[in-house]
Structures are given as structure tokens and as C-alpha cells.
Amino acid sequence: MSAPTPAVRPADPPAPRTTGAPSRTTLSAAVLVTGFVLLSLNTRVAFGQLGPLAPVAGFSTGAVTLLGLIPPLCMGLFAPLASVVRRRFGEERGLFWASVLLLAGAVVRMLGLPGLFAGTVLVSIATAVVNVLVPVFVRSRFEHRRVGVMMGVYALSMGAGSALVAALTVPVWQAGGHSWELAIGLAVVPAALAAAGIAPQLGHAHGRRPAGPGTGTGTGTGTGGGSGKRAQVAAGPGGRGLVWSPGGRGLVWSLMAFFGFQTLLFYTTLAWLPAILVDAGVARAVAGGMQSLFILGVALGGFLLPVLAAARTDQRPHLVAVVLVCALGYAGLLAAPGAVPALWALVLGAGLGGGQAVAGVLYVKRGRDHEHVAALSAVAQTGGYLLAATGPVAASVLHTATGSWTVPLLALTGALALSLVASLRAGHDKR
């Protein structure tokens, strides 16, 4: 039986409003949104620091390659951990403890080169949990009509936080006597704010039990019907009954392919954009600044596309738009990388940011209930991040073998085309 369209299927209702003074409800909503924004601001901060820092801090090509490989590899390997965390603790506690781990990783990254590698592993594991839990958290804690906006807020805040810290990284390195450890330590501030911001939501999670057959995620509501065979199937470990059913395999493979190729493009560009521009004759300091513009573009595209995509039942036009915008950015880097680097950085950021953020909307739109959304998110990100982990390494190998960035950029353009072909099933509800 095909899944009903998002426009008519029973949606998981938001948490019921508590009775009492309106001011208390307003305060609770403000605390929820503030905590969500602080969490989102922190999610990509650590990964955006390396690009602007690498050209001036003297990191070797091998170190840059490995540091670019660690985040997607760890996020792929540990994405299934999020399903375990969610069943045991719920979304709120899971997000809080992930924030604490991320804070610990940000501190460890300051402890010399070994600490940078070890801390990046910790940060990546924590981010894997956050990535999977956020779409479920948004669906369970916000009204259905707000899903697109909140996923957009997530992407916008994530990009803005990363762009701000990336822009400050080199100035702090200069002011701190060329200490990259001090510059890397900037990530501690948003990490601490994120943990503090999400902590009030622990009260919402108090007394919750993991979802079972016919239950929701602890909000006091059902799972789009509350009972019945569909809810019971979804309630298996991570919702695997729905994900890997004969009717669901095509969807999950499509989601995995789209997310994987888009994430491969994102992390490869994030790791090597400054190097591409430096080789094209752009000054090192300017190339580092272009990284900040790239991340700013990620924030803008990441906010706009989910808002537009969530308002419709068919997201395929939005997937095509992502590919076209990204193709324009890569064409610019191929044809004239040093001419208007700010334009190429912004265009690529907007396209890749939109591609990263719209994946969360696809999980929510294609998911039948909270359990199914969590399962789609976990499975797609597991395979997607493992695919993405090959990107920075492959680009480095191709650059070393050819002595230029032309072949790596052509390979990225090919991956972009594959992302479109493979993703069209994920863009709509099969009728």
C-alpha cells in the first residue's frame, strides 16, 4: 500500500499546550526556540574552522585530508547510535548529552595536533546524534505547519554560527601570536551555549518512556493514528520494519543517495575551497575569507529551501534547483576561479546549503510517524555520510595525480548529476 500524501495523511500532532497563564506558555515557547537556535548555531562550528586556518597554520596536506575525512566518516559510522539514544533517553536528553560531548570535543581539539584529531572524532560522534534527532525533535515539538520554517532555522543558525567562527578564526590566530590552538578554541563558546540552551528541555523529557507500539515520542500524542498495523510495524528497532519493507527500500536508497552525494560535495568543497582559490592566484587571507562567504551562503540557502520545500507535497523541483545552483558554482570555479571568488563561494554555499537542509524536510515529509522519520534519518545518514567520507580523500588523490583542480572539480560536477538522478524518488510520495 502506498503512503498517503503529506497533505492528507494524519500528522503527528504537536505537544498539547499546557493550561495556565498565557505568559507561561509564551515563556516556554521562547525557551524552546532559543535552545533550538543555540543548539543549531553550534552544530557545524568545528568543521568550518579548518578551511581558513589550514593555509596559514602550516597543516600538511595529509593532515587536512584526514581532518576532512573524519567528520563524514564518523557521522556515518555513528548515525545508528542516535536511534539507540533516542529509544533510551528521548530526543531532549539525547540532544543535551550530545551537546555535552560536543563541548568536550571542542576542548580536546585545543590540545595540540593529536588533540585536534581526537577532539574532531568526539565532535563528529556528537554531531551524528544531533543530525538524526533534530528532524524528529522538530516534528514532535513544533506544529506540523512550522516544520519547514524550523528546519530552515536549523540550517540558517547552523550556517551563521559556522560562518561567524570561521571569519574570526584567522584574526584570533593572528592576535594570539599565530597559535592555531587558541583559534580552534573559539568553538568552545558556542558549544557551551548549546549545552546550556538545550538543558531546560530536560524537564519536558522527565518521566518519558521510549515509544512502543501505538505510542508517540513522549509528547502525549499518538503516531498519526495512535494504533493499527502501521504504527506497530514502525515501532520496531529504529522503525526498520517500514524502512526495509519492499515498498520502502526504494525510498531509503533514494534518500541515502541524495544525502550522500550532497554531503560528499559539501565536505569536499568545505575542505578544499581555500586551496583551490590559492592555486588560482587568490591571496591566502582572501581565500580564507571566501570560506566564510561559502558558509554564509550555506546558511542562506539552508534557510530558504526548507521553507519553500515544506510547503509543497512534491519536492522534485527543489532538488533540480539545488543541482542547477551548485552546477553554476562549480562551472565558475572551473572557468574563472580567481576572477570573482566571492560569487562562486556564495553560489556554491547557497546550493549545497539548500541540498543539506532539504534532506531533513524529505525525512519528515516521507516519514509516516516519529519512528519512521527517525529510521529514515538514521539509515540515510549512515550510508550517506560513509559515501561522503570518500570525497575529500578522492579530491586530494586526483589533485596530486593531475597537478591541478580541474579533474577533481569535474568529478564533483559528475557527482552532482548523480545526486539528481538518484534522488527523484525521495522528492515525492509514490502514488
Side-chain angles (χ1 to χ4, degrees):
M1 181 181 296
S2 60
T5 63
V8 298
R9 72 164 180 261
D12 297 314
R17 294 184 178 182
T18 57
T19 58
S23 59
R24 184 173 180 180
T25 302
T26 302
L27 178 61
S28 297
V31 170
L32 172 62
V33 172
T34 300
F36 182 70
V37 169
L38 289 174
L39 173 72
S40 305
L41 283 169
N42 178 57
T43 306
R44 292 291 188 276
V45 162
F47 305 145
Q49 290 182 292
L50 182 63
L53 196 58
V56 298
F59 294 141
S60 67
T61 300
V64 174
T65 301
L66 184 55
L67 288 168
L69 169 66
I70 287 174
L73 180 61
C74 286
M75 285 189 278
L77 291 173
F78 288 95
L81 176 64
S83 295
V84 178
V85 170
R86 177 177 177 268
R87 289 196 302 272
R88 187 172 181 84
F89 302 109
E91 293 93 54
E92 290 81 6
R93 285 197 180 100
L95 289 172
F96 172 74
W97 287 113
S99 297
V100 171
L101 180 61
L102 206 152
L103 173 59
V107 173
V108 171
R109 278 163 55 92
M110 301 173 62
L111 306 179
L113 198 59
L116 180 59
F117 287 114
T120 301
V121 170
L122 294 179
V123 167
S124 301
I125 293 172
T127 304
V129 175
V130 172
N131 285 340
V132 174
L133 293 186
V134 160
V136 191
F137 180 79
V138 168
R139 179 161 173 162
S140 64
R141 296 297 303 277
F142 296 96
E143 296 178 19
H144 188 72
R145 63 190 177 92
R146 303 288 187 194
V147 165
V149 173
M150 296 314 299
M151 291 305 299
V153 167
Y154 173 60
L156 177 64
S157 302
M158 182 168 55
S162 186
L164 177 61
V165 173
L168 292 174
T169 295
V170 172
V172 170
W173 171 80
Q174 292 171 332
H178 295 182
S179 168
W180 66 260
E181 292 90 348
L182 182 62
I184 285 289
L186 273 172
V188 173
V189 176
L193 291 174
I198 203 67
Q201 301 310 314
L202 294 174
H204 180 87
H206 182 69
R208 285 173 54 177
R209 290 180 292 181
T215 68
T217 56
T219 60
T221 65
T223 58
S227 61
K229 294 181 180 179
R230 187 172 64 187
Q232 293 171 4
V233 172
R240 287 194 297 269
L242 282 175
V243 168
W244 295 115
S245 66
R249 291 171 193 163
L251 171 62
V252 76
W253 284 116
S254 182
L255 284 168
M256 189 184 299
F258 175 73
F259 180 77
F261 282 119
Q262 282 292 314
T263 306
L264 181 151
L265 295 166
F266 175 77
Y267 279 100
T268 304
T269 306
L270 186 69
W272 294 115
L273 179 61
I276 293 170
L277 296 177
V278 167
D279 282 3
V282 177
R284 291 180 180 273
V286 175
M290 294 306 100
Q291 183 85 334
S292 297
L293 282 179
F294 169 74
I295 298 173
L296 179 61
V298 169
L300 297 175
F303 174 74
L304 181 62
L305 195 61
V307 173
L308 297 175
R312 298 182 178 273
T313 58
D314 188 344
Q315 286 76 42
R316 286 174 294 183
H318 305 90
L319 304 183
V320 172
V322 164
V323 170
L324 292 177
V325 173
C326 292
L328 176 61
Y330 285 123
L333 287 181
L334 280 165
V340 279
L343 176 62
W344 310 137
L346 281 170
V347 168
L348 267 176
L352 293 174
Q356 288 278 287
V358 78
V361 173
L362 296 180
Y363 304 145
V364 173
K365 286 288 189 178
R366 304 291 89 84
R368 299 183 183 183
D369 50 47
H370 297 333
E371 293 291 333
H372 194 205
V373 172
L376 288 175
S377 181
V379 174
Q381 291 188 53
T382 298
Y385 274 119
L386 291 177
L387 172 62
T390 65
V393 177
S396 176
V397 170
L398 289 174
H399 175 255
T400 301
T402 62
S404 78
W405 288 103
T406 300
V407 173
L409 287 170
L410 288 173
L412 292 177
T413 305
L416 185 63
L418 289 175
S419 77
L420 177 62
V421 174
S423 68
L424 294 180
R425 168 62 188 91
H428 71 115
D429 280 298
K430 190 175 181 180
R431 298 178 187 275

